[in-house]
Amino acid sequence: MITGDSIDGVDFISSLPDVILHHILSSVPTKSAIRTSLLSKRWRYVWSETPSLSIDCRRTDPNSIEKTLAFFSAPKITSFHLCTSLLNRIDPLNSWIEFAISHDSEKLSLEFRDSRVRDYKFPDFFYTNSSVKQLLVNSGSVDLIPRCSVSWTSLKNLSLSFCTLSDESFLKILSGSPLLESLELLYCAEFMCLDLSQSPRLKRLEIDRSDWFMGQTKIVAPHLHCLRLRHSRLPCSLVDVSSLTEADLNIYFCDLGTLTAGFLQHNVVKMLQMLQNVEKLTIGGTFLQMLSLAALCGVPFPMLKVKTLTLETMIIRSVIPGITELLRNTPGLRKLTIHTVKGSSISELHLNAYLRLHSLNQRQCWRSKDSVFPGSLETISMLVGKHAESNLVALFMERLLKSTKSLETMVVLLVGYLDASGFEELLAMATTLSHNNDVSVLIKRSSIKYVSNTFPQR
């Protein structure tokens, strides 16, 4: 309920100009905005001129939505969000989408929540829209395969989730979106090649692929500046990403038994080779484990121009060789962020099986000085007391500091490690580290931030 203080008997909020009231109502669901029409005559039609509609019709009678849209009187919609199930609502759904397009909606968000219906096709008029600048489609079970040409001449940001896309349909979308700047493909299936060479304005690409999609995707994106591959399975081939300045690789491949001898060299390390111009790099823990296997197998790492490096990793010994080799090949590194996580990882049992398969002695591979680090996440949980865990984090920090020469700042973001007392112990340990070159160390835990004394780096 909207309330306000009274000034000379007049409600303060009600005295505000319509443009401000419209802005306020734009931040709540349309159903709640409509209820304000009961407050007074002043509020009776305010909602109907609000240039933003957010409708959840999963439990709403379609006739009620039709009535709502009939009362809507704003000449233009800046934002239209629709959350619906498809069951028995295909005809009204098309009319609701047409309503948004006819009112020149600049931001269009469509969420489908009925996985049982798989025969819905977007109408042809959906693919001709000169007003939309930001389009989000979370289809759940709907194919995004246009039967006509695509004309989204103002579109700058496109986010597709759980959509089925063919290579042909994807090319149609790209060719019809000449101003596209940002593209998100989240759990989308069936496309095998992302050729973005004809999209010179496209600077940001994010791909999140599901576990069950195992096809190899080739990425050709010579104009791209920022690439995020999150929770994506290998193999993924970077054909041309020569303009990249920022990359985020959280990639995994748990079935090591299917890997050939040349896989690490031709896929994992080759991805690093394609990132040689990147200055800001984020790497996930399982990809670090793959890099460790590459290092142990003697695969040479490329020299990188990275200045800011973030490692989202578990503190286990199977990431140490990969991190060490990575740091040795980033001579210009200035800032290192360690973001600890306790997520999924490749088991050491599988890692050792891979080493044996390639005639490598696992005892010799995991060096004795790394044996202080646990071999798995389960081992971490068996550490006795928080002192042991704080000592583990301190040793990990020291190990990484010894592997880099040019570092100026280290940031440690602790998530899932240490309670308050263990954190205080870590701060004390950090200040006692003695090295040769000054490095500023910033340690964070949850939303609380602590800064340790600056200490030198060896």
Side-chain angles (χ1 to χ4, degrees):
M1 178 180 293
I2 298 178
T3 62
D5 293 332
S6 177
I7 301 177
D8 295 332
V10 179
D11 178 63
F12 172 69
I13 293 181
S14 296
S15 66
L16 293 173
D18 282 0
V19 64
I20 296 180
L21 297 180
H22 294 158
H23 179 73
I24 295 173
L25 294 181
S26 294
S27 63
V28 301
T30 299
K31 186 176 182 178
S32 298
I34 292 175
R35 289 173 181 163
T36 64
S37 63
L38 302 176
L39 294 176
S40 66
K41 289 183 178 180
R42 168 74 176 93
W43 287 89
R44 187 172 183 182
Y45 297 110
V46 173
W47 77 267
S48 65
E49 297 177 346
T50 301
S52 176
L53 289 175
S54 178
I55 301 173
D56 188 339
C57 57
R58 288 172 291 178
R59 298 177 181 87
T60 305
D61 181 10
N63 292 328
S64 176
I65 297 174
E66 296 286 351
K67 185 177 180 180
T68 297
L69 298 181
F71 275 102
F72 186 78
S73 57
K76 183 176 181 177
I77 299 176
T78 57
S79 177
F80 185 89
H81 174 254
L82 178 66
C83 184
T84 181
S85 62
L86 292 174
L87 192 61
N88 300 323
R89 296 185 180 182
I90 291 179
D91 289 338
L93 173 59
N94 288 345
S95 68
W96 300 335
I97 294 175
E98 187 174 19
F99 177 88
I101 294 176
S102 65
H103 283 73
D104 298 328
S105 178
E106 295 181 357
K107 181 180 179 181
L108 182 58
S109 176
L110 304 174
E111 295 187 58
F112 303 96
R113 299 296 186 183
D114 192 343
S115 60
R116 293 171 293 176
V117 179
R118 298 182 178 275
D119 58 353
Y120 176 76
K121 306 292 183 183
F122 281 103
D124 288 349
F125 65 76
F126 171 75
Y127 296 103
T128 302
N129 189 335
S130 60
S131 300
V132 66
K133 295 181 180 179
Q134 183 174 345
L135 176 61
L136 183 151
V137 179
N138 187 336
S139 73
S141 58
V142 177
D143 293 343
L144 195 68
I145 301 178
R147 296 160 294 183
C148 58
S149 59
V150 176
S151 180
W152 291 335
T153 53
S154 298
L155 187 64
K156 293 185 177 181
N157 300 297
L158 177 61
S159 177
L160 304 177
S161 302
F162 299 97
C163 294
T164 298
L165 288 165
S166 65
D167 288 343
E168 181 182 359
S169 62
F170 188 73
L171 287 176
K172 281 186 177 183
I173 291 173
L174 288 178
S175 63
S177 309
L179 301 184
L180 192 61
E181 298 175 354
S182 176
L183 175 63
E184 294 181 352
L185 300 172
L186 311 179
Y187 305 104
C188 295
E190 294 196 9
F191 59 89
M192 301 300 293
C193 180
L194 294 179
D195 188 349
L196 309 177
S197 58
Q198 302 303 313
S199 300
R201 293 176 178 265
L202 185 57
K203 304 301 181 183
R204 179 183 177 275
L205 173 64
E206 177 174 353
I207 300 177
D208 197 330
R209 298 168 73 191
S210 60
D211 292 351
W212 49 267
F213 182 67
M214 292 295 293
Q216 183 179 32
T217 298
K218 296 181 178 180
I219 299 177
V220 183
H223 311 293
L224 210 61
H225 287 179
C226 178
L227 173 65
R228 289 171 56 88
L229 298 177
R230 304 294 296 177
H231 307 98
S232 297
R233 281 186 180 272
L234 286 169
C236 185
S237 177
L238 302 181
V239 179
D240 185 356
V241 288
S242 52
S243 297
L244 271 187
T245 58
E246 180 178 351
D248 186 339
L249 305 179
N250 193 345
I251 302 173
Y252 62 91
F253 195 96
C254 296
D255 189 7
L256 298 182
T258 64
L259 303 187
T260 61
F263 178 86
L264 294 172
Q265 181 172 357
H266 295 133
N267 290 274
V268 180
V269 176
K270 186 177 180 180
M271 292 190 75
L272 287 184
Q273 292 174 345
M274 300 302 295
L275 305 179
Q276 292 189 50
N277 293 323
V278 168
E279 295 186 353
K280 185 177 181 180
L281 178 61
T282 298
I283 297 182
T286 49
F287 192 67
L288 288 172
Q289 290 181 293
M290 298 296 289
L291 290 178
S292 289
L293 287 181
L296 295 175
C297 291
V299 179
F301 281 38
M303 297 297 291
L304 302 176
K305 299 179 181 179
V306 175
K307 296 180 180 179
T308 302
L309 176 63
T310 298
L311 305 177
E312 298 177 347
T313 181
M314 310 72 68
I315 301 181
I316 52 180
R317 62 171 164 260
S318 57
V319 302
I320 301 294
I323 294 176
T324 301
E325 196 64 25
L326 185 64
L327 293 178
R328 287 175 180 170
N329 287 274
T330 53
L333 186 63
R334 296 293 181 264
K335 180 180 179 181
L336 173 63
T337 299
I338 305 169
H339 184 176
T340 65
V341 296
K342 287 187 176 180
S344 60
S345 64
I346 305 173
S347 72
E348 193 166 48
L349 179 66
H350 290 157
L351 294 172
N352 289 336
Y354 180 87
L355 293 175
R356 290 194 301 271
L357 183 64
H358 293 83
S359 303
L360 294 173
N361 188 314
Q362 65 190 57
R363 295 183 180 274
Q364 294 178 353
C365 287
W366 307 118
R367 294 182 293 180
S368 58
K369 62 180 179 179
D370 293 335
S371 62
V372 297
F373 298 104
S376 65
L377 298 177
E378 291 75 14
T379 310
I380 294 177
S381 63
M382 296 171 61
L383 291 173
V384 179
K386 289 300 178 182
H387 175 76
E389 196 173 35
S390 58
N391 185 60
L392 172 69
V393 177
L395 288 173
F396 188 71
M397 293 168 56
E398 184 177 18
R399 183 74 170 85
L400 269 55
L401 284 168
K402 289 180 179 179
S403 301
T404 181
K405 303 297 182 182
S406 59
L407 199 64
E408 297 175 353
T409 304
M410 171 182 279
V411 178
V412 181
L413 177 58
L414 295 170
V415 178
Y417 287 80
L418 305 182
D419 58 12
S421 61
F423 184 77
E424 293 298 330
E425 289 183 357
L426 176 62
L427 288 180
M429 294 178 188
T431 58
T432 61
L433 294 175
S434 63
H435 306 284
N436 294 330
N437 302 313
D438 287 344
V439 174
S440 177
V441 176
L442 177 66
I443 304 178
K444 303 178 182 179
R445 174 178 170 267
S446 300
S447 59
I448 305 174
K449 180 169 65 176
Y450 299 85
V451 182
S452 75
N453 295 336
T454 298
F455 56 87
Q457 170 199 14
R458 180 173 296 168

